[in-house]
Amino acid sequence: MPSSRRAPISQRKQPQQARSTELVGAILQAAVQVLSKEGAPRFTTARVAERAGVSVGSVYQYFPNKAAILFRLQSDEWRQTTEMLCRILEDRSHEPLQRLRRLVHAFVRSECDEAEMRVALADAAPLYRDAPEAQQARKSADRTVAAFLREVLPKATPAARALAGDLIRTTLATVGKDFSEQPRTVREIKAYSDAMADMFCAYLLSLRSGDTRCAA
């Protein structure tokens, strides 16, 4: 019976010297260019090596397969998004719903700014979506959202907070992706972000106190 184990998607090793770090950086930059130009279906390790000006063997020193390269690109995107989410939601100098508004605006802007790469990575997601490494990469953002909702909804049941968190995350990811697939003006981005933030705020306020008005 064939094994159902998935191919590894983690880097073989981390660069230890400046020269190795530069090599990995060149490989990743080339991967971005190949993915943007060729798309996920035509993305290969050989094309990345050619664009980077290195041998395929040099690529395999650090990445066991093309899924590992794509996962590193996706991991970097997840890390940047998670850092943004944590920075905004954990900033206690702003009221909770103000933080949520800031997050929605920042997220939608980032989706539009990096739409081409995000669409390409989404096409490649089946290569790594269910891998353990991918699940682990998403846990940090989940913890931050859960802590934020405990602050906003201290009297809500865990089930209600979990539902709210899932709704917000899923809506941001799905609607943000769909909205960013077409070129958008600054005015359109602001209007869309305001509308989505209004919806989230009204929902959380209704859970907290039954008040359907959204805080300014």
Side-chain angles (χ1 to χ4, degrees):
M1 181 180 295
S3 172
S4 61
R5 294 181 61 188
R6 301 177 69 90
I9 60 172
S10 296
Q11 284 185 229
R12 290 186 187 276
K13 63 179 181 179
Q14 296 295 327
Q16 300 297 321
Q17 301 177 345
R19 184 175 179 181
S20 300
T21 300
E22 291 175 0
L23 173 59
V24 171
I27 292 170
L28 293 175
Q29 185 177 23
V32 169
Q33 294 170 358
V34 172
L35 188 60
S36 298
K37 182 178 180 180
E38 305 286 348
R42 290 178 55 81
F43 184 93
T44 66
T45 304
R47 286 192 172 92
V48 172
E50 181 181 8
R51 179 61 63 93
V54 301
S55 68
V56 173
S58 295
V59 177
Y60 283 137
Q61 286 184 50
Y62 297 96
F63 301 97
N65 47 51
K66 69 177 184 179
I69 303 174
L70 291 164
F71 179 68
R72 170 59 190 272
L73 296 179
Q74 180 66 84
S75 294
D76 288 347
E77 191 275 326
W78 278 334
R79 176 180 51 78
Q80 293 165 6
T81 300
T82 297
E83 288 175 353
M84 176 186 70
L85 181 147
C86 293
R87 184 176 64 253
I88 293 174
L89 291 187
E90 294 173 0
D91 181 5
R92 296 297 186 97
S93 66
H94 296 277
E95 293 297 323
L97 295 186
Q98 291 176 330
R99 282 179 252 157
L100 181 57
R101 285 185 175 281
R102 292 178 62 219
L103 174 63
V104 171
H105 278 263
F107 183 85
V108 174
R109 283 197 305 270
S110 70
E111 287 284 295
C112 292
D113 290 344
E114 302 172 15
E116 184 177 346
M117 178 55 59
R118 291 178 191 273
V119 169
L121 284 172
D123 291 340
L127 292 171
Y128 53 76
R129 179 172 49 209
D130 298 326
E133 298 96 324
Q135 297 172 16
Q136 183 63 35
R138 291 188 284 264
K139 287 185 177 178
S140 178
D142 291 345
R143 287 192 295 268
T144 297
V145 171
F148 172 77
L149 289 172
R150 286 195 297 271
E151 180 185 358
V152 177
L153 304 171
K155 297 181 180 180
T157 65
R161 286 196 295 263
L163 176 61
D166 184 62
L167 184 147
I168 290 172
R169 286 191 300 268
T170 302
T171 303
L172 273 176
T174 304
V175 178
K177 177 182 179 297
D178 290 345
F179 178 73
S180 65
E181 287 179 351
Q182 298 180 23
R184 302 292 183 176
T185 66
V186 173
R187 179 175 294 181
E188 286 175 326
I189 293 172
K190 182 180 184 305
Y192 205 84
S193 299
D194 281 337
M196 195 175 344
D198 284 346
M199 179 179 67
F200 289 152
C201 288
Y203 174 56
L204 292 180
L205 283 171
S206 71
L207 291 178
R208 186 170 68 184
S209 63
D211 186 353
T212 58
R213 294 172 299 171
C214 185

